[in-house]
Amino acid sequence: DVQLYTLLRKLELVAEDLEADVQDTSVQLVRAMPQAVRELDGMQGAADALRSNTESLAEELHDLDSHSAQSLGLLVEVEHVKKRMRAVARTLEQAQQFVHTLEAAEAAVASGDLKDAASQIGRTRESVADLQGLPRFRDSRAKVDALSARLKADLHPRLVAAFHDQATDAARECLAVYAQIGQMEEVDKAFV
C-alpha cells in the first residue's frame, strides 16, 4: 500500500508539474499572440509596400522605355539630318570649287594659256555631273561646253599653223590639249 501511495503521490506531483508547465506555456502563447499578430501585420504592410514599390518601379521602367524609344527616334532623326547636312556641305564645296575652276578656266582661255585652260576645263567637267540637279547650276554643262568651244576655236588655228610651219613642239602641245579636253575627234575631222 505504501508503495502504491508513494507512486500515486509521485504521479500527482508530476501531473501538477505538467499542468504548471502547460499553464506557463499557454500564458506565454497568449502573451506572444498579440506580438505575432503585430509582426504578421507588419509583414503584411511591408509586403504591400514592396508590391507598391515594385508596381511603381515597373511603371517607371515602362515610362523610361517609352521615353528611350522616343529619344532613340530623335537620335535617328538627328543622324539623318547630320547626313543630309554633310551631303549639302559636300555639294556646296563642289559648287564653290566649280565656280572657282570655271573662273580660272575662263581666265586661262582669255589669256591664251591653252594647257591651263584645258586642265581647268577638265576639272569643271568632273564637277558638272554632281551639280546638274541644282537650279543654279543647270546651265553649267552649257557654260563648260561654250568654254570648251572657245578653247577649240583658239586651238584649231594654232594647230593648223603648227602643222604648216612644221613646229612639232607646238603641234604636240596642241594635240595634248585636244586629248586633255577629250576632243581628239576634232583633230581627225580637221585633217582627214
PDB file of all heavy atoms in Angstrom, residues 43-79:
ATOM      1  N   MET A  43       4.525  42.493 -41.367  1.00  0.00           N
ATOM      2  CA  MET A  43       4.983  41.802 -42.573  1.00  0.00           C
ATOM      3  C   MET A  43       4.004  42.029 -43.727  1.00  0.00           C
ATOM      4  O   MET A  43       4.421  42.218 -44.874  1.00  0.00           O
ATOM      5  CB  MET A  43       5.145  40.310 -42.315  1.00  0.00           C
ATOM      6  CG  MET A  43       6.344  39.971 -41.473  1.00  0.00           C
ATOM      7  SD  MET A  43       6.166  38.298 -41.098  1.00  0.00           S
ATOM      8  CE  MET A  43       7.509  37.442 -41.182  1.00  0.00           C
ATOM      9  N   GLN A  44       2.724  42.024 -43.404  1.00  0.00           N
ATOM     10  CA  GLN A  44       1.715  42.273 -44.436  1.00  0.00           C
ATOM     11  C   GLN A  44       1.876  43.701 -44.980  1.00  0.00           C
ATOM     12  O   GLN A  44       1.813  43.919 -46.182  1.00  0.00           O
ATOM     13  CB  GLN A  44       0.299  42.088 -43.848  1.00  0.00           C
ATOM     14  CG  GLN A  44      -0.821  42.249 -44.850  1.00  0.00           C
ATOM     15  CD  GLN A  44      -0.813  41.148 -45.898  1.00  0.00           C
ATOM     16  OE1 GLN A  44      -0.464  40.015 -45.620  1.00  0.00           O
ATOM     17  NE2 GLN A  44      -1.184  41.499 -47.110  1.00  0.00           N
ATOM     18  N   GLY A  45       2.110  44.657 -44.088  1.00  0.00           N
ATOM     19  CA  GLY A  45       2.333  46.044 -44.514  1.00  0.00           C
ATOM     20  C   GLY A  45       3.591  46.169 -45.368  1.00  0.00           C
ATOM     21  O   GLY A  45       3.605  46.867 -46.384  1.00  0.00           O
ATOM     22  N   ALA A  46       4.666  45.482 -44.941  1.00  0.00           N
ATOM     23  CA  ALA A  46       5.907  45.506 -45.708  1.00  0.00           C
ATOM     24  C   ALA A  46       5.703  44.871 -47.087  1.00  0.00           C
ATOM     25  O   ALA A  46       6.215  45.370 -48.096  1.00  0.00           O
ATOM     26  CB  ALA A  46       7.016  44.791 -44.944  1.00  0.00           C
ATOM     27  N   ALA A  47       4.934  43.789 -47.126  1.00  0.00           N
ATOM     28  CA  ALA A  47       4.653  43.134 -48.407  1.00  0.00           C
ATOM     29  C   ALA A  47       3.839  44.059 -49.310  1.00  0.00           C
ATOM     30  O   ALA A  47       4.104  44.156 -50.523  1.00  0.00           O
ATOM     31  CB  ALA A  47       3.912  41.817 -48.183  1.00  0.00           C
ATOM     32  N   ASP A  48       2.869  44.753 -48.730  1.00  0.00           N
ATOM     33  CA  ASP A  48       2.074  45.711 -49.516  1.00  0.00           C
ATOM     34  C   ASP A  48       2.946  46.852 -50.037  1.00  0.00           C
ATOM     35  O   ASP A  48       2.828  47.260 -51.205  1.00  0.00           O
ATOM     36  CB  ASP A  48       0.927  46.282 -48.668  1.00  0.00           C
ATOM     37  CG  ASP A  48      -0.166  45.248 -48.380  1.00  0.00           C
ATOM     38  OD1 ASP A  48      -0.199  44.223 -49.104  1.00  0.00           O
ATOM     39  OD2 ASP A  48      -0.966  45.471 -47.453  1.00  0.00           O
ATOM     40  N   ALA A  49       3.834  47.367 -49.184  1.00  0.00           N
ATOM     41  CA  ALA A  49       4.731  48.450 -49.603  1.00  0.00           C
ATOM     42  C   ALA A  49       5.677  47.963 -50.708  1.00  0.00           C
ATOM     43  O   ALA A  49       5.919  48.671 -51.691  1.00  0.00           O
ATOM     44  CB  ALA A  49       5.534  48.962 -48.403  1.00  0.00           C
ATOM     45  N   LEU A  50       6.187  46.740 -50.554  1.00  0.00           N
ATOM     46  CA  LEU A  50       7.070  46.174 -51.572  1.00  0.00           C
ATOM     47  C   LEU A  50       6.320  46.003 -52.896  1.00  0.00           C
ATOM     48  O   LEU A  50       6.849  46.325 -53.961  1.00  0.00           O
ATOM     49  CB  LEU A  50       7.631  44.838 -51.085  1.00  0.00           C
ATOM     50  CG  LEU A  50       8.614  44.137 -52.023  1.00  0.00           C
ATOM     51  CD1 LEU A  50       9.839  45.017 -52.254  1.00  0.00           C
ATOM     52  CD2 LEU A  50       9.029  42.788 -51.452  1.00  0.00           C
ATOM     53  N   ARG A  51       5.080  45.519 -52.821  1.00  0.00           N
ATOM     54  CA  ARG A  51       4.265  45.354 -54.019  1.00  0.00           C
ATOM     55  C   ARG A  51       4.032  46.717 -54.682  1.00  0.00           C
ATOM     56  O   ARG A  51       4.161  46.864 -55.901  1.00  0.00           O
ATOM     57  CB  ARG A  51       2.926  44.701 -53.671  1.00  0.00           C
ATOM     58  CG  ARG A  51       2.083  44.388 -54.887  1.00  0.00           C
ATOM     59  CD  ARG A  51       0.764  43.687 -54.543  1.00  0.00           C
ATOM     60  NE  ARG A  51       0.987  42.432 -53.855  1.00  0.00           N
ATOM     61  CZ  ARG A  51       0.613  42.172 -52.599  1.00  0.00           C
ATOM     62  NH1 ARG A  51      -0.028  43.073 -51.900  1.00  0.00           N
ATOM     63  NH2 ARG A  51       0.867  41.007 -52.043  1.00  0.00           N
ATOM     64  N   SER A  52       3.726  47.720 -53.885  1.00  0.00           N
ATOM     65  CA  SER A  52       3.508  49.062 -54.410  1.00  0.00           C
ATOM     66  C   SER A  52       4.776  49.616 -55.056  1.00  0.00           C
ATOM     67  O   SER A  52       4.733  50.201 -56.145  1.00  0.00           O
ATOM     68  CB  SER A  52       3.029  49.982 -53.283  1.00  0.00           C
ATOM     69  OG  SER A  52       2.949  51.304 -53.719  1.00  0.00           O
ATOM     70  N   ASN A  53       5.910  49.435 -54.376  1.00  0.00           N
ATOM     71  CA  ASN A  53       7.190  49.890 -54.935  1.00  0.00           C
ATOM     72  C   ASN A  53       7.519  49.169 -56.236  1.00  0.00           C
ATOM     73  O   ASN A  53       8.021  49.780 -57.184  1.00  0.00           O
ATOM     74  CB  ASN A  53       8.328  49.689 -53.930  1.00  0.00           C
ATOM     75  CG  ASN A  53       8.276  50.678 -52.783  1.00  0.00           C
ATOM     76  OD1 ASN A  53       7.603  51.697 -52.872  1.00  0.00           O
ATOM     77  ND2 ASN A  53       8.972  50.362 -51.710  1.00  0.00           N
ATOM     78  N   THR A  54       7.245  47.877 -56.270  1.00  0.00           N
ATOM     79  CA  THR A  54       7.501  47.096 -57.477  1.00  0.00           C
ATOM     80  C   THR A  54       6.630  47.585 -58.624  1.00  0.00           C
ATOM     81  O   THR A  54       7.111  47.749 -59.754  1.00  0.00           O
ATOM     82  CB  THR A  54       7.244  45.601 -57.209  1.00  0.00           C
ATOM     83  OG1 THR A  54       8.059  45.176 -56.122  1.00  0.00           O
ATOM     84  CG2 THR A  54       7.568  44.764 -58.428  1.00  0.00           C
ATOM     85  N   GLU A  55       5.362  47.829 -58.355  1.00  0.00           N
ATOM     86  CA  GLU A  55       4.462  48.341 -59.395  1.00  0.00           C
ATOM     87  C   GLU A  55       4.917  49.724 -59.862  1.00  0.00           C
ATOM     88  O   GLU A  55       4.905  50.023 -61.053  1.00  0.00           O
ATOM     89  CB  GLU A  55       3.026  48.375 -58.881  1.00  0.00           C
ATOM     90  CG  GLU A  55       2.409  47.003 -58.716  1.00  0.00           C
ATOM     91  CD  GLU A  55       1.060  47.044 -57.994  1.00  0.00           C
ATOM     92  OE1 GLU A  55       0.627  48.141 -57.580  1.00  0.00           O
ATOM     93  OE2 GLU A  55       0.449  45.972 -57.853  1.00  0.00           O
ATOM     94  N   SER A  56       5.313  50.560 -58.911  1.00  0.00           N
ATOM     95  CA  SER A  56       5.799  51.895 -59.254  1.00  0.00           C
ATOM     96  C   SER A  56       7.067  51.806 -60.095  1.00  0.00           C
ATOM     97  O   SER A  56       7.214  52.523 -61.096  1.00  0.00           O
ATOM     98  CB  SER A  56       6.065  52.686 -57.970  1.00  0.00           C
ATOM     99  OG  SER A  56       6.673  53.913 -58.261  1.00  0.00           O
ATOM    100  N   LEU A  57       7.958  50.914 -59.712  1.00  0.00           N
ATOM    101  CA  LEU A  57       9.193  50.730 -60.460  1.00  0.00           C
ATOM    102  C   LEU A  57       8.902  50.200 -61.872  1.00  0.00           C
ATOM    103  O   LEU A  57       9.491  50.670 -62.844  1.00  0.00           O
ATOM    104  CB  LEU A  57      10.119  49.768 -59.715  1.00  0.00           C
ATOM    105  CG  LEU A  57      11.497  49.534 -60.325  1.00  0.00           C
ATOM    106  CD1 LEU A  57      12.272  50.841 -60.406  1.00  0.00           C
ATOM    107  CD2 LEU A  57      12.271  48.521 -59.502  1.00  0.00           C
ATOM    108  N   ALA A  58       7.964  49.276 -61.971  1.00  0.00           N
ATOM    109  CA  ALA A  58       7.592  48.749 -63.291  1.00  0.00           C
ATOM    110  C   ALA A  58       7.002  49.857 -64.159  1.00  0.00           C
ATOM    111  O   ALA A  58       7.305  49.950 -65.361  1.00  0.00           O
ATOM    112  CB  ALA A  58       6.596  47.603 -63.140  1.00  0.00           C
ATOM    113  N   GLU A  59       6.199  50.716 -63.559  1.00  0.00           N
ATOM    114  CA  GLU A  59       5.617  51.841 -64.305  1.00  0.00           C
ATOM    115  C   GLU A  59       6.709  52.815 -64.745  1.00  0.00           C
ATOM    116  O   GLU A  59       6.708  53.291 -65.884  1.00  0.00           O
ATOM    117  CB  GLU A  59       4.584  52.555 -63.426  1.00  0.00           C
ATOM    118  CG  GLU A  59       3.791  53.598 -64.165  1.00  0.00           C
ATOM    119  CD  GLU A  59       2.704  54.198 -63.277  1.00  0.00           C
ATOM    120  OE1 GLU A  59       1.970  53.440 -62.622  1.00  0.00           O
ATOM    121  OE2 GLU A  59       2.620  55.433 -63.255  1.00  0.00           O
ATOM    122  N   GLU A  60       7.648  53.098 -63.846  1.00  0.00           N
ATOM    123  CA  GLU A  60       8.756  53.983 -64.202  1.00  0.00           C
ATOM    124  C   GLU A  60       9.604  53.381 -65.323  1.00  0.00           C
ATOM    125  O   GLU A  60      10.033  54.087 -66.233  1.00  0.00           O
ATOM    126  CB  GLU A  60       9.630  54.265 -62.985  1.00  0.00           C
ATOM    127  CG  GLU A  60       9.013  55.205 -61.984  1.00  0.00           C
ATOM    128  CD  GLU A  60       9.885  55.418 -60.756  1.00  0.00           C
ATOM    129  OE1 GLU A  60      11.109  55.157 -60.826  1.00  0.00           O
ATOM    130  OE2 GLU A  60       9.340  55.844 -59.722  1.00  0.00           O
ATOM    131  N   LEU A  61       9.841  52.070 -65.254  1.00  0.00           N
ATOM    132  CA  LEU A  61      10.598  51.405 -66.315  1.00  0.00           C
ATOM    133  C   LEU A  61       9.858  51.482 -67.642  1.00  0.00           C
ATOM    134  O   LEU A  61      10.465  51.688 -68.691  1.00  0.00           O
ATOM    135  CB  LEU A  61      10.879  49.947 -65.946  1.00  0.00           C
ATOM    136  CG  LEU A  61      11.965  49.725 -64.892  1.00  0.00           C
ATOM    137  CD1 LEU A  61      12.037  48.248 -64.500  1.00  0.00           C
ATOM    138  CD2 LEU A  61      13.311  50.197 -65.390  1.00  0.00           C
ATOM    139  N   HIS A  62       8.547  51.310 -67.584  1.00  0.00           N
ATOM    140  CA  HIS A  62       7.743  51.405 -68.813  1.00  0.00           C
ATOM    141  C   HIS A  62       7.826  52.828 -69.380  1.00  0.00           C
ATOM    142  O   HIS A  62       8.023  53.014 -70.596  1.00  0.00           O
ATOM    143  CB  HIS A  62       6.304  51.021 -68.524  1.00  0.00           C
ATOM    144  CG  HIS A  62       5.382  51.119 -69.689  1.00  0.00           C
ATOM    145  ND1 HIS A  62       5.803  51.236 -70.984  1.00  0.00           N
ATOM    146  CD2 HIS A  62       4.039  51.112 -69.767  1.00  0.00           C
ATOM    147  CE1 HIS A  62       4.783  51.308 -71.799  1.00  0.00           C
ATOM    148  NE2 HIS A  62       3.694  51.243 -71.082  1.00  0.00           N
ATOM    149  N   ASP A  63       7.703  53.831 -68.497  1.00  0.00           N
ATOM    150  CA  ASP A  63       7.820  55.227 -68.949  1.00  0.00           C
ATOM    151  C   ASP A  63       9.216  55.489 -69.518  1.00  0.00           C
ATOM    152  O   ASP A  63       9.354  56.141 -70.556  1.00  0.00           O
ATOM    153  CB  ASP A  63       7.550  56.201 -67.796  1.00  0.00           C
ATOM    154  CG  ASP A  63       6.095  56.204 -67.357  1.00  0.00           C
ATOM    155  OD1 ASP A  63       5.252  55.683 -68.120  1.00  0.00           O
ATOM    156  OD2 ASP A  63       5.809  56.723 -66.258  1.00  0.00           O
ATOM    157  N   LEU A  64      10.228  54.985 -68.828  1.00  0.00           N
ATOM    158  CA  LEU A  64      11.600  55.156 -69.285  1.00  0.00           C
ATOM    159  C   LEU A  64      11.800  54.484 -70.643  1.00  0.00           C
ATOM    160  O   LEU A  64      12.447  55.041 -71.528  1.00  0.00           O
ATOM    161  CB  LEU A  64      12.580  54.578 -68.259  1.00  0.00           C
ATOM    162  CG  LEU A  64      14.058  54.737 -68.574  1.00  0.00           C
ATOM    163  CD1 LEU A  64      14.440  56.207 -68.637  1.00  0.00           C
ATOM    164  CD2 LEU A  64      14.891  54.015 -67.534  1.00  0.00           C
ATOM    165  N   ASP A  65      11.207  53.314 -70.798  1.00  0.00           N
ATOM    166  CA  ASP A  65      11.311  52.601 -72.076  1.00  0.00           C
ATOM    167  C   ASP A  65      10.654  53.404 -73.190  1.00  0.00           C
ATOM    168  O   ASP A  65      11.211  53.543 -74.279  1.00  0.00           O
ATOM    169  CB  ASP A  65      10.659  51.222 -71.953  1.00  0.00           C
ATOM    170  CG  ASP A  65      10.865  50.376 -73.183  1.00  0.00           C
ATOM    171  OD1 ASP A  65      11.976  50.400 -73.737  1.00  0.00           O
ATOM    172  OD2 ASP A  65       9.899  49.692 -73.589  1.00  0.00           O
ATOM    173  N   SER A  66       9.484  53.972 -72.915  1.00  0.00           N
ATOM    174  CA  SER A  66       8.816  54.764 -73.957  1.00  0.00           C
ATOM    175  C   SER A  66       9.603  56.049 -74.236  1.00  0.00           C
ATOM    176  O   SER A  66       9.734  56.450 -75.391  1.00  0.00           O
ATOM    177  CB  SER A  66       7.375  55.089 -73.559  1.00  0.00           C
ATOM    178  OG  SER A  66       7.334  55.938 -72.438  1.00  0.00           O
ATOM    179  N   HIS A  67      10.160  56.658 -73.187  1.00  0.00           N
ATOM    180  CA  HIS A  67      10.998  57.853 -73.396  1.00  0.00           C
ATOM    181  C   HIS A  67      12.267  57.485 -74.163  1.00  0.00           C
ATOM    182  O   HIS A  67      12.719  58.246 -75.026  1.00  0.00           O
ATOM    183  CB  HIS A  67      11.374  58.511 -72.065  1.00  0.00           C
ATOM    184  CG  HIS A  67      10.231  59.196 -71.372  1.00  0.00           C
ATOM    185  ND1 HIS A  67       9.484  60.176 -71.955  1.00  0.00           N
ATOM    186  CD2 HIS A  67       9.705  59.023 -70.134  1.00  0.00           C
ATOM    187  CE1 HIS A  67       8.554  60.590 -71.115  1.00  0.00           C
ATOM    188  NE2 HIS A  67       8.659  59.891 -70.001  1.00  0.00           N
ATOM    189  N   SER A  68      12.830  56.321 -73.835  1.00  0.00           N
ATOM    190  CA  SER A  68      14.032  55.873 -74.537  1.00  0.00           C
ATOM    191  C   SER A  68      13.728  55.650 -76.013  1.00  0.00           C
ATOM    192  O   SER A  68      14.538  55.992 -76.868  1.00  0.00           O
ATOM    193  CB  SER A  68      14.569  54.582 -73.920  1.00  0.00           C
ATOM    194  OG  SER A  68      15.008  54.819 -72.611  1.00  0.00           O
ATOM    195  N   ALA A  69      12.570  55.058 -76.293  1.00  0.00           N
ATOM    196  CA  ALA A  69      12.192  54.836 -77.689  1.00  0.00           C
ATOM    197  C   ALA A  69      12.034  56.172 -78.413  1.00  0.00           C
ATOM    198  O   ALA A  69      12.484  56.332 -79.557  1.00  0.00           O
ATOM    199  CB  ALA A  69      10.900  54.030 -77.758  1.00  0.00           C
ATOM    200  N   GLN A  70      11.416  57.135 -77.734  1.00  0.00           N
ATOM    201  CA  GLN A  70      11.265  58.457 -78.336  1.00  0.00           C
ATOM    202  C   GLN A  70      12.632  59.106 -78.531  1.00  0.00           C
ATOM    203  O   GLN A  70      12.906  59.691 -79.584  1.00  0.00           O
ATOM    204  CB  GLN A  70      10.391  59.355 -77.464  1.00  0.00           C
ATOM    205  CG  GLN A  70       8.939  58.961 -77.442  1.00  0.00           C
ATOM    206  CD  GLN A  70       8.142  59.771 -76.418  1.00  0.00           C
ATOM    207  OE1 GLN A  70       8.705  60.466 -75.588  1.00  0.00           O
ATOM    208  NE2 GLN A  70       6.825  59.656 -76.490  1.00  0.00           N
ATOM    209  N   SER A  71      13.491  58.990 -77.532  1.00  0.00           N
ATOM    210  CA  SER A  71      14.837  59.569 -77.632  1.00  0.00           C
ATOM    211  C   SER A  71      15.625  58.896 -78.745  1.00  0.00           C
ATOM    212  O   SER A  71      16.337  59.562 -79.498  1.00  0.00           O
ATOM    213  CB  SER A  71      15.585  59.404 -76.308  1.00  0.00           C
ATOM    214  OG  SER A  71      14.942  60.129 -75.290  1.00  0.00           O
ATOM    215  N   LEU A  72      15.495  57.586 -78.840  1.00  0.00           N
ATOM    216  CA  LEU A  72      16.185  56.870 -79.903  1.00  0.00           C
ATOM    217  C   LEU A  72      15.670  57.326 -81.263  1.00  0.00           C
ATOM    218  O   LEU A  72      16.456  57.532 -82.185  1.00  0.00           O
ATOM    219  CB  LEU A  72      15.999  55.356 -79.730  1.00  0.00           C
ATOM    220  CG  LEU A  72      16.754  54.476 -80.707  1.00  0.00           C
ATOM    221  CD1 LEU A  72      18.253  54.723 -80.609  1.00  0.00           C
ATOM    222  CD2 LEU A  72      16.436  53.023 -80.454  1.00  0.00           C
ATOM    223  N   GLY A  73      14.361  57.512 -81.368  1.00  0.00           N
ATOM    224  CA  GLY A  73      13.791  58.021 -82.621  1.00  0.00           C
ATOM    225  C   GLY A  73      14.342  59.396 -82.951  1.00  0.00           C
ATOM    226  O   GLY A  73      14.670  59.683 -84.112  1.00  0.00           O
ATOM    227  N   LEU A  74      14.453  60.240 -81.945  1.00  0.00           N
ATOM    228  CA  LEU A  74      15.018  61.574 -82.166  1.00  0.00           C
ATOM    229  C   LEU A  74      16.490  61.489 -82.571  1.00  0.00           C
ATOM    230  O   LEU A  74      16.932  62.228 -83.458  1.00  0.00           O
ATOM    231  CB  LEU A  74      14.871  62.428 -80.905  1.00  0.00           C
ATOM    232  CG  LEU A  74      13.461  62.919 -80.592  1.00  0.00           C
ATOM    233  CD1 LEU A  74      13.438  63.612 -79.232  1.00  0.00           C
ATOM    234  CD2 LEU A  74      12.970  63.863 -81.666  1.00  0.00           C
ATOM    235  N   LEU A  75      17.232  60.600 -81.933  1.00  0.00           N
ATOM    236  CA  LEU A  75      18.641  60.437 -82.291  1.00  0.00           C
ATOM    237  C   LEU A  75      18.792  59.947 -83.728  1.00  0.00           C
ATOM    238  O   LEU A  75      19.685  60.409 -84.454  1.00  0.00           O
ATOM    239  CB  LEU A  75      19.329  59.461 -81.334  1.00  0.00           C
ATOM    240  CG  LEU A  75      19.615  60.000 -79.937  1.00  0.00           C
ATOM    241  CD1 LEU A  75      20.172  58.886 -79.054  1.00  0.00           C
ATOM    242  CD2 LEU A  75      20.591  61.154 -79.991  1.00  0.00           C
ATOM    243  N   VAL A  76      17.928  59.035 -84.149  1.00  0.00           N
ATOM    244  CA  VAL A  76      17.976  58.551 -85.531  1.00  0.00           C
ATOM    245  C   VAL A  76      17.668  59.698 -86.480  1.00  0.00           C
ATOM    246  O   VAL A  76      18.342  59.878 -87.500  1.00  0.00           O
ATOM    247  CB  VAL A  76      16.992  57.374 -85.723  1.00  0.00           C
ATOM    248  CG1 VAL A  76      16.778  57.055 -87.186  1.00  0.00           C
ATOM    249  CG2 VAL A  76      17.502  56.145 -84.985  1.00  0.00           C
ATOM    250  N   GLU A  77      16.666  60.494 -86.147  1.00  0.00           N
ATOM    251  CA  GLU A  77      16.309  61.641 -86.988  1.00  0.00           C
ATOM    252  C   GLU A  77      17.451  62.646 -87.046  1.00  0.00           C
ATOM    253  O   GLU A  77      17.775  63.180 -88.113  1.00  0.00           O
ATOM    254  CB  GLU A  77      15.039  62.320 -86.455  1.00  0.00           C
ATOM    255  CG  GLU A  77      14.554  63.462 -87.302  1.00  0.00           C
ATOM    256  CD  GLU A  77      14.140  63.052 -88.706  1.00  0.00           C
ATOM    257  OE1 GLU A  77      13.709  61.909 -88.899  1.00  0.00           O
ATOM    258  OE2 GLU A  77      14.261  63.891 -89.618  1.00  0.00           O
ATOM    259  N   VAL A  78      18.096  62.897 -85.906  1.00  0.00           N
ATOM    260  CA  VAL A  78      19.239  63.817 -85.876  1.00  0.00           C
ATOM    261  C   VAL A  78      20.371  63.280 -86.749  1.00  0.00           C
ATOM    262  O   VAL A  78      21.019  64.035 -87.478  1.00  0.00           O
ATOM    263  CB  VAL A  78      19.726  64.039 -84.413  1.00  0.00           C
ATOM    264  CG1 VAL A  78      21.096  64.678 -84.373  1.00  0.00           C
ATOM    265  CG2 VAL A  78      18.719  64.895 -83.662  1.00  0.00           C
ATOM    266  N   GLU A  79      20.594  61.968 -86.702  1.00  0.00           N
ATOM    267  CA  GLU A  79      21.645  61.369 -87.527  1.00  0.00           C
ATOM    268  C   GLU A  79      21.316  61.533 -89.013  1.00  0.00           C
ATOM    269  O   GLU A  79      22.203  61.830 -89.816  1.00  0.00           O
ATOM    270  CB  GLU A  79      21.819  59.881 -87.181  1.00  0.00           C
ATOM    271  CG  GLU A  79      23.006  59.236 -87.841  1.00  0.00           C
ATOM    272  CD  GLU A  79      24.340  59.863 -87.485  1.00  0.00           C
ATOM    273  OE1 GLU A  79      24.521  60.357 -86.360  1.00  0.00           O
ATOM    274  OE2 GLU A  79      25.230  59.860 -88.353  1.00  0.00           O
TER     275      GLU A  79
END
